[in-house]
Amino acid sequence: MSKQILEEGDDGVRLIIKDQKEKVSPANVSPRTPVHVVYGGADRFSADTPRKLGRIALDSMKTYSPNFAAFATALQLLGYEHLPTFPRAVKELEASLKTAPEKVKKKDRA
């Protein structure tokens, strides 16, 4: 792994960029790797910042992943290609999963 130092701004802020030479896999990724990092000045951070970010995340989920099938497809989870795509079929499968999950699992393993 090599590092490249860049200088930016009047104060010479140093940014370290790591070039990953090896392929990233679950074996070489720390279990505490952040999902995302938020950059901003301390003057823009307040006690309600995490709540606001959470609300934005939930709104995005509702917009772009309104049901479990859309979520699985967006993330390409194992078996997503076997899930229904039509809203009515998704609702029917969701209802079946709530009332008789074991029956659904036996009928359609995906």
Side-chain angles (χ1 to χ4, degrees):
M1 189 180 302
S2 64
K3 296 179 183 176
Q4 178 183 1
I5 308 295
L6 301 175
E7 293 188 19
E8 179 182 295
D10 296 334
D11 297 326
V13 177
R14 298 169 67 115
L15 302 173
I16 300 172
I17 300 173
K18 297 176 182 179
D19 297 327
Q20 290 189 338
K21 300 286 183 188
E22 60 189 82
K23 184 177 179 182
V24 176
S25 71
N28 63 10
V29 173
S30 166
R32 296 196 42 97
T33 302
V35 174
H36 62 272
V37 178
V38 178
Y39 292 97
D43 62 319
R44 295 177 184 255
F45 187 86
S46 66
D48 66 339
T49 299
R51 184 179 302 119
K52 288 178 182 177
L53 293 174
R55 188 175 58 242
I56 291 168
L58 288 173
D59 288 346
S60 295
M61 289 288 293
K62 288 176 186 173
T63 300
Y64 300 107
S65 183
N67 57 57
F68 74 94
F71 180 79
T73 301
L75 296 180
Q76 295 186 352
L77 298 177
L78 184 64
Y80 79 94
E81 61 276 349
H82 301 290
L83 292 172
T85 55
F86 295 108
R88 184 175 181 173
V90 172
K91 285 183 181 181
E92 288 173 1
L93 179 56
E94 189 172 34
S96 297
L97 284 168
K98 286 180 182 178
T99 58
E102 293 304 317
K103 185 177 177 182
V104 174
K105 287 179 186 178
K106 286 180 183 178
K107 180 180 176 186
D108 185 0
R109 298 291 298 170

PDB file of all heavy atoms in Angstrom, residues 30-58:
ATOM      1  N   SER A  30     -11.416  -4.525   7.867  1.00  0.00           N
ATOM      2  CA  SER A  30     -11.676  -4.422   9.296  1.00  0.00           C
ATOM      3  C   SER A  30     -13.177  -4.493   9.553  1.00  0.00           C
ATOM      4  O   SER A  30     -13.955  -3.905   8.815  1.00  0.00           O
ATOM      5  CB  SER A  30     -11.122  -3.104   9.824  1.00  0.00           C
ATOM      6  OG  SER A  30     -11.624  -2.842  11.109  1.00  0.00           O
ATOM      7  N   PRO A  31     -13.593  -5.189  10.623  1.00  0.00           N
ATOM      8  CA  PRO A  31     -15.034  -5.239  10.915  1.00  0.00           C
ATOM      9  C   PRO A  31     -15.591  -3.878  11.322  1.00  0.00           C
ATOM     10  O   PRO A  31     -16.784  -3.675  11.357  1.00  0.00           O
ATOM     11  CB  PRO A  31     -15.129  -6.241  12.067  1.00  0.00           C
ATOM     12  CG  PRO A  31     -13.766  -6.288  12.652  1.00  0.00           C
ATOM     13  CD  PRO A  31     -12.804  -5.967  11.550  1.00  0.00           C
ATOM     14  N   ARG A  32     -14.739  -2.915  11.611  1.00  0.00           N
ATOM     15  CA  ARG A  32     -15.191  -1.595  12.022  1.00  0.00           C
ATOM     16  C   ARG A  32     -14.973  -0.569  10.914  1.00  0.00           C
ATOM     17  O   ARG A  32     -14.852   0.611  11.179  1.00  0.00           O
ATOM     18  CB  ARG A  32     -14.484  -1.170  13.298  1.00  0.00           C
ATOM     19  CG  ARG A  32     -14.856  -2.086  14.454  1.00  0.00           C
ATOM     20  CD  ARG A  32     -14.521  -1.545  15.788  1.00  0.00           C
ATOM     21  NE  ARG A  32     -14.806  -0.159  15.982  1.00  0.00           N
ATOM     22  CZ  ARG A  32     -15.887   0.332  16.558  1.00  0.00           C
ATOM     23  NH1 ARG A  32     -16.825  -0.480  16.964  1.00  0.00           N
ATOM     24  NH2 ARG A  32     -16.045   1.617  16.740  1.00  0.00           N
ATOM     25  N   THR A  33     -14.946  -0.999   9.670  1.00  0.00           N
ATOM     26  CA  THR A  33     -14.815  -0.086   8.544  1.00  0.00           C
ATOM     27  C   THR A  33     -16.083   0.749   8.440  1.00  0.00           C
ATOM     28  O   THR A  33     -17.181   0.201   8.402  1.00  0.00           O
ATOM     29  CB  THR A  33     -14.600  -0.869   7.231  1.00  0.00           C
ATOM     30  OG1 THR A  33     -13.434  -1.662   7.373  1.00  0.00           O
ATOM     31  CG2 THR A  33     -14.440   0.073   6.054  1.00  0.00           C
ATOM     32  N   PRO A  34     -15.959   2.080   8.401  1.00  0.00           N
ATOM     33  CA  PRO A  34     -17.172   2.908   8.331  1.00  0.00           C
ATOM     34  C   PRO A  34     -17.908   2.728   7.009  1.00  0.00           C
ATOM     35  O   PRO A  34     -17.293   2.487   5.976  1.00  0.00           O
ATOM     36  CB  PRO A  34     -16.637   4.342   8.452  1.00  0.00           C
ATOM     37  CG  PRO A  34     -15.199   4.259   8.103  1.00  0.00           C
ATOM     38  CD  PRO A  34     -14.741   2.873   8.407  1.00  0.00           C
ATOM     39  N   VAL A  35     -19.213   2.840   7.068  1.00  0.00           N
ATOM     40  CA  VAL A  35     -20.027   2.753   5.871  1.00  0.00           C
ATOM     41  C   VAL A  35     -19.827   4.003   5.024  1.00  0.00           C
ATOM     42  O   VAL A  35     -19.695   3.940   3.826  1.00  0.00           O
ATOM     43  CB  VAL A  35     -21.520   2.584   6.236  1.00  0.00           C
ATOM     44  CG1 VAL A  35     -22.384   2.629   4.992  1.00  0.00           C
ATOM     45  CG2 VAL A  35     -21.734   1.297   6.987  1.00  0.00           C
ATOM     46  N   HIS A  36     -19.783   5.135   5.687  1.00  0.00           N
ATOM     47  CA  HIS A  36     -19.520   6.388   4.998  1.00  0.00           C
ATOM     48  C   HIS A  36     -18.925   7.378   5.986  1.00  0.00           C
ATOM     49  O   HIS A  36     -19.010   7.192   7.193  1.00  0.00           O
ATOM     50  CB  HIS A  36     -20.785   6.948   4.352  1.00  0.00           C
ATOM     51  CG  HIS A  36     -21.851   7.279   5.345  1.00  0.00           C
ATOM     52  ND1 HIS A  36     -22.775   6.356   5.758  1.00  0.00           N
ATOM     53  CD2 HIS A  36     -22.129   8.409   6.026  1.00  0.00           C
ATOM     54  CE1 HIS A  36     -23.578   6.907   6.643  1.00  0.00           C
ATOM     55  NE2 HIS A  36     -23.210   8.153   6.831  1.00  0.00           N
ATOM     56  N   VAL A  37     -18.297   8.387   5.461  1.00  0.00           N
ATOM     57  CA  VAL A  37     -17.685   9.422   6.283  1.00  0.00           C
ATOM     58  C   VAL A  37     -18.291  10.750   5.873  1.00  0.00           C
ATOM     59  O   VAL A  37     -18.479  11.021   4.697  1.00  0.00           O
ATOM     60  CB  VAL A  37     -16.152   9.456   6.069  1.00  0.00           C
ATOM     61  CG1 VAL A  37     -15.518  10.563   6.890  1.00  0.00           C
ATOM     62  CG2 VAL A  37     -15.543   8.106   6.429  1.00  0.00           C
ATOM     63  N   VAL A  38     -18.620  11.569   6.844  1.00  0.00           N
ATOM     64  CA  VAL A  38     -19.201  12.884   6.580  1.00  0.00           C
ATOM     65  C   VAL A  38     -18.138  13.931   6.884  1.00  0.00           C
ATOM     66  O   VAL A  38     -17.593  13.973   7.979  1.00  0.00           O
ATOM     67  CB  VAL A  38     -20.441  13.135   7.455  1.00  0.00           C
ATOM     68  CG1 VAL A  38     -21.015  14.515   7.206  1.00  0.00           C
ATOM     69  CG2 VAL A  38     -21.482  12.062   7.203  1.00  0.00           C
ATOM     70  N   TYR A  39     -17.829  14.741   5.895  1.00  0.00           N
ATOM     71  CA  TYR A  39     -16.857  15.809   6.073  1.00  0.00           C
ATOM     72  C   TYR A  39     -17.588  17.140   6.182  1.00  0.00           C
ATOM     73  O   TYR A  39     -18.516  17.393   5.444  1.00  0.00           O
ATOM     74  CB  TYR A  39     -15.890  15.863   4.883  1.00  0.00           C
ATOM     75  CG  TYR A  39     -14.985  14.669   4.797  1.00  0.00           C
ATOM     76  CD1 TYR A  39     -15.294  13.608   3.962  1.00  0.00           C
ATOM     77  CD2 TYR A  39     -13.843  14.602   5.568  1.00  0.00           C
ATOM     78  CE1 TYR A  39     -14.475  12.498   3.878  1.00  0.00           C
ATOM     79  CE2 TYR A  39     -13.004  13.499   5.498  1.00  0.00           C
ATOM     80  CZ  TYR A  39     -13.329  12.449   4.652  1.00  0.00           C
ATOM     81  OH  TYR A  39     -12.515  11.371   4.590  1.00  0.00           O
ATOM     82  N   GLY A  40     -17.138  17.959   7.072  1.00  0.00           N
ATOM     83  CA  GLY A  40     -17.725  19.281   7.220  1.00  0.00           C
ATOM     84  C   GLY A  40     -17.060  19.989   8.389  1.00  0.00           C
ATOM     85  O   GLY A  40     -16.453  19.358   9.250  1.00  0.00           O
ATOM     86  N   GLY A  41     -17.181  21.266   8.421  1.00  0.00           N
ATOM     87  CA  GLY A  41     -16.588  22.033   9.491  1.00  0.00           C
ATOM     88  C   GLY A  41     -17.312  21.818  10.808  1.00  0.00           C
ATOM     89  O   GLY A  41     -18.496  21.490  10.838  1.00  0.00           O
ATOM     90  N   ALA A  42     -16.581  22.014  11.900  1.00  0.00           N
ATOM     91  CA  ALA A  42     -17.173  21.852  13.226  1.00  0.00           C
ATOM     92  C   ALA A  42     -18.326  22.828  13.438  1.00  0.00           C
ATOM     93  O   ALA A  42     -19.258  22.541  14.189  1.00  0.00           O
ATOM     94  CB  ALA A  42     -16.107  22.050  14.289  1.00  0.00           C
ATOM     95  N   ASP A  43     -18.275  23.963  12.759  1.00  0.00           N
ATOM     96  CA  ASP A  43     -19.347  24.951  12.899  1.00  0.00           C
ATOM     97  C   ASP A  43     -20.656  24.475  12.273  1.00  0.00           C
ATOM     98  O   ASP A  43     -21.719  25.027  12.547  1.00  0.00           O
ATOM     99  CB  ASP A  43     -18.930  26.283  12.276  1.00  0.00           C
ATOM    100  CG  ASP A  43     -18.665  26.171  10.782  1.00  0.00           C
ATOM    101  OD1 ASP A  43     -18.059  25.162  10.363  1.00  0.00           O
ATOM    102  OD2 ASP A  43     -19.055  27.083  10.038  1.00  0.00           O
ATOM    103  N   ARG A  44     -20.593  23.443  11.447  1.00  0.00           N
ATOM    104  CA  ARG A  44     -21.796  22.927  10.793  1.00  0.00           C
ATOM    105  C   ARG A  44     -22.365  21.696  11.501  1.00  0.00           C
ATOM    106  O   ARG A  44     -23.415  21.204  11.138  1.00  0.00           O
ATOM    107  CB  ARG A  44     -21.502  22.592   9.338  1.00  0.00           C
ATOM    108  CG  ARG A  44     -21.153  23.820   8.537  1.00  0.00           C
ATOM    109  CD  ARG A  44     -20.800  23.433   7.111  1.00  0.00           C
ATOM    110  NE  ARG A  44     -20.372  24.599   6.396  1.00  0.00           N
ATOM    111  CZ  ARG A  44     -21.115  25.220   5.493  1.00  0.00           C
ATOM    112  NH1 ARG A  44     -22.311  24.776   5.219  1.00  0.00           N
ATOM    113  NH2 ARG A  44     -20.650  26.268   4.875  1.00  0.00           N
ATOM    114  N   PHE A  45     -21.650  21.197  12.481  1.00  0.00           N
ATOM    115  CA  PHE A  45     -22.082  20.004  13.204  1.00  0.00           C
ATOM    116  C   PHE A  45     -22.794  20.429  14.478  1.00  0.00           C
ATOM    117  O   PHE A  45     -22.347  21.312  15.191  1.00  0.00           O
ATOM    118  CB  PHE A  45     -20.872  19.132  13.556  1.00  0.00           C
ATOM    119  CG  PHE A  45     -21.248  17.807  14.148  1.00  0.00           C
ATOM    120  CD1 PHE A  45     -21.538  16.742  13.318  1.00  0.00           C
ATOM    121  CD2 PHE A  45     -21.319  17.641  15.513  1.00  0.00           C
ATOM    122  CE1 PHE A  45     -21.899  15.511  13.856  1.00  0.00           C
ATOM    123  CE2 PHE A  45     -21.670  16.423  16.064  1.00  0.00           C
ATOM    124  CZ  PHE A  45     -21.959  15.365  15.231  1.00  0.00           C
ATOM    125  N   SER A  46     -23.932  19.794  14.756  1.00  0.00           N
ATOM    126  CA  SER A  46     -24.649  20.080  15.995  1.00  0.00           C
ATOM    127  C   SER A  46     -25.212  18.771  16.543  1.00  0.00           C
ATOM    128  O   SER A  46     -25.078  17.717  15.919  1.00  0.00           O
ATOM    129  CB  SER A  46     -25.774  21.087  15.747  1.00  0.00           C
ATOM    130  OG  SER A  46     -26.759  20.513  14.917  1.00  0.00           O
ATOM    131  N   ALA A  47     -25.853  18.843  17.668  1.00  0.00           N
ATOM    132  CA  ALA A  47     -26.394  17.643  18.310  1.00  0.00           C
ATOM    133  C   ALA A  47     -27.428  16.931  17.443  1.00  0.00           C
ATOM    134  O   ALA A  47     -27.595  15.718  17.550  1.00  0.00           O
ATOM    135  CB  ALA A  47     -27.002  18.006  19.663  1.00  0.00           C
ATOM    136  N   ASP A  48     -28.121  17.668  16.592  1.00  0.00           N
ATOM    137  CA  ASP A  48     -29.146  17.024  15.765  1.00  0.00           C
ATOM    138  C   ASP A  48     -28.646  16.603  14.384  1.00  0.00           C
ATOM    139  O   ASP A  48     -29.418  16.092  13.582  1.00  0.00           O
ATOM    140  CB  ASP A  48     -30.381  17.916  15.646  1.00  0.00           C
ATOM    141  CG  ASP A  48     -30.129  19.199  14.883  1.00  0.00           C
ATOM    142  OD1 ASP A  48     -28.969  19.614  14.779  1.00  0.00           O
ATOM    143  OD2 ASP A  48     -31.111  19.780  14.387  1.00  0.00           O
ATOM    144  N   THR A  49     -27.357  16.746  14.102  1.00  0.00           N
ATOM    145  CA  THR A  49     -26.811  16.344  12.796  1.00  0.00           C
ATOM    146  C   THR A  49     -27.031  14.855  12.513  1.00  0.00           C
ATOM    147  O   THR A  49     -27.507  14.503  11.425  1.00  0.00           O
ATOM    148  CB  THR A  49     -25.326  16.716  12.682  1.00  0.00           C
ATOM    149  OG1 THR A  49     -25.200  18.138  12.800  1.00  0.00           O
ATOM    150  CG2 THR A  49     -24.741  16.266  11.356  1.00  0.00           C
ATOM    151  N   PRO A  50     -26.733  13.941  13.452  1.00  0.00           N
ATOM    152  CA  PRO A  50     -26.986  12.521  13.169  1.00  0.00           C
ATOM    153  C   PRO A  50     -28.461  12.235  12.872  1.00  0.00           C
ATOM    154  O   PRO A  50     -28.777  11.444  11.985  1.00  0.00           O
ATOM    155  CB  PRO A  50     -26.534  11.810  14.441  1.00  0.00           C
ATOM    156  CG  PRO A  50     -25.526  12.725  15.036  1.00  0.00           C
ATOM    157  CD  PRO A  50     -26.033  14.115  14.728  1.00  0.00           C
ATOM    158  N   ARG A  51     -29.366  12.909  13.579  1.00  0.00           N
ATOM    159  CA  ARG A  51     -30.797  12.717  13.335  1.00  0.00           C
ATOM    160  C   ARG A  51     -31.159  13.171  11.922  1.00  0.00           C
ATOM    161  O   ARG A  51     -31.911  12.511  11.209  1.00  0.00           O
ATOM    162  CB  ARG A  51     -31.626  13.486  14.372  1.00  0.00           C
ATOM    163  CG  ARG A  51     -33.123  13.240  14.210  1.00  0.00           C
ATOM    164  CD  ARG A  51     -33.968  13.974  15.239  1.00  0.00           C
ATOM    165  NE  ARG A  51     -33.596  13.609  16.591  1.00  0.00           N
ATOM    166  CZ  ARG A  51     -33.121  14.474  17.505  1.00  0.00           C
ATOM    167  NH1 ARG A  51     -32.978  15.739  17.205  1.00  0.00           N
ATOM    168  NH2 ARG A  51     -32.799  14.061  18.703  1.00  0.00           N
ATOM    169  N   LYS A  52     -30.621  14.314  11.509  1.00  0.00           N
ATOM    170  CA  LYS A  52     -30.895  14.819  10.158  1.00  0.00           C
ATOM    171  C   LYS A  52     -30.354  13.856   9.102  1.00  0.00           C
ATOM    172  O   LYS A  52     -31.034  13.573   8.113  1.00  0.00           O
ATOM    173  CB  LYS A  52     -30.263  16.196   9.965  1.00  0.00           C
ATOM    174  CG  LYS A  52     -30.957  17.303  10.712  1.00  0.00           C
ATOM    175  CD  LYS A  52     -30.229  18.624  10.491  1.00  0.00           C
ATOM    176  CE  LYS A  52     -30.865  19.752  11.275  1.00  0.00           C
ATOM    177  NZ  LYS A  52     -30.118  21.015  11.107  1.00  0.00           N
ATOM    178  N   LEU A  53     -29.149  13.359   9.309  1.00  0.00           N
ATOM    179  CA  LEU A  53     -28.569  12.414   8.355  1.00  0.00           C
ATOM    180  C   LEU A  53     -29.385  11.125   8.307  1.00  0.00           C
ATOM    181  O   LEU A  53     -29.583  10.538   7.239  1.00  0.00           O
ATOM    182  CB  LEU A  53     -27.112  12.129   8.706  1.00  0.00           C
ATOM    183  CG  LEU A  53     -26.155  13.296   8.538  1.00  0.00           C
ATOM    184  CD1 LEU A  53     -24.771  12.937   9.063  1.00  0.00           C
ATOM    185  CD2 LEU A  53     -26.078  13.730   7.091  1.00  0.00           C
ATOM    186  N   GLY A  54     -29.858  10.681   9.459  1.00  0.00           N
ATOM    187  CA  GLY A  54     -30.702   9.487   9.508  1.00  0.00           C
ATOM    188  C   GLY A  54     -32.003   9.681   8.751  1.00  0.00           C
ATOM    189  O   GLY A  54     -32.457   8.788   8.039  1.00  0.00           O
ATOM    190  N   ARG A  55     -32.606  10.864   8.902  1.00  0.00           N
ATOM    191  CA  ARG A  55     -33.851  11.169   8.192  1.00  0.00           C
ATOM    192  C   ARG A  55     -33.619  11.167   6.685  1.00  0.00           C
ATOM    193  O   ARG A  55     -34.421  10.636   5.913  1.00  0.00           O
ATOM    194  CB  ARG A  55     -34.422  12.503   8.656  1.00  0.00           C
ATOM    195  CG  ARG A  55     -35.804  12.772   8.088  1.00  0.00           C
ATOM    196  CD  ARG A  55     -36.445  14.043   8.617  1.00  0.00           C
ATOM    197  NE  ARG A  55     -35.616  15.212   8.341  1.00  0.00           N
ATOM    198  CZ  ARG A  55     -35.067  16.004   9.275  1.00  0.00           C
ATOM    199  NH1 ARG A  55     -35.272  15.753  10.547  1.00  0.00           N
ATOM    200  NH2 ARG A  55     -34.331  17.028   8.944  1.00  0.00           N
ATOM    201  N   ILE A  56     -32.501  11.737   6.258  1.00  0.00           N
ATOM    202  CA  ILE A  56     -32.171  11.749   4.820  1.00  0.00           C
ATOM    203  C   ILE A  56     -31.997  10.315   4.319  1.00  0.00           C
ATOM    204  O   ILE A  56     -32.479   9.958   3.241  1.00  0.00           O
ATOM    205  CB  ILE A  56     -30.904  12.586   4.567  1.00  0.00           C
ATOM    206  CG1 ILE A  56     -31.197  14.067   4.824  1.00  0.00           C
ATOM    207  CG2 ILE A  56     -30.382  12.370   3.149  1.00  0.00           C
ATOM    208  CD1 ILE A  56     -29.947  14.934   4.876  1.00  0.00           C
ATOM    209  N   ALA A  57     -31.317   9.482   5.112  1.00  0.00           N
ATOM    210  CA  ALA A  57     -31.110   8.085   4.721  1.00  0.00           C
ATOM    211  C   ALA A  57     -32.438   7.337   4.611  1.00  0.00           C
ATOM    212  O   ALA A  57     -32.670   6.604   3.643  1.00  0.00           O
ATOM    213  CB  ALA A  57     -30.184   7.396   5.720  1.00  0.00           C
ATOM    214  N   LEU A  58     -33.320   7.530   5.594  1.00  0.00           N
ATOM    215  CA  LEU A  58     -34.620   6.855   5.547  1.00  0.00           C
ATOM    216  C   LEU A  58     -35.467   7.337   4.377  1.00  0.00           C
ATOM    217  O   LEU A  58     -36.140   6.537   3.719  1.00  0.00           O
ATOM    218  CB  LEU A  58     -35.370   7.067   6.865  1.00  0.00           C
ATOM    219  CG  LEU A  58     -34.811   6.299   8.054  1.00  0.00           C
ATOM    220  CD1 LEU A  58     -35.521   6.710   9.333  1.00  0.00           C
ATOM    221  CD2 LEU A  58     -34.919   4.804   7.832  1.00  0.00           C
TER     222      LEU A  58
END
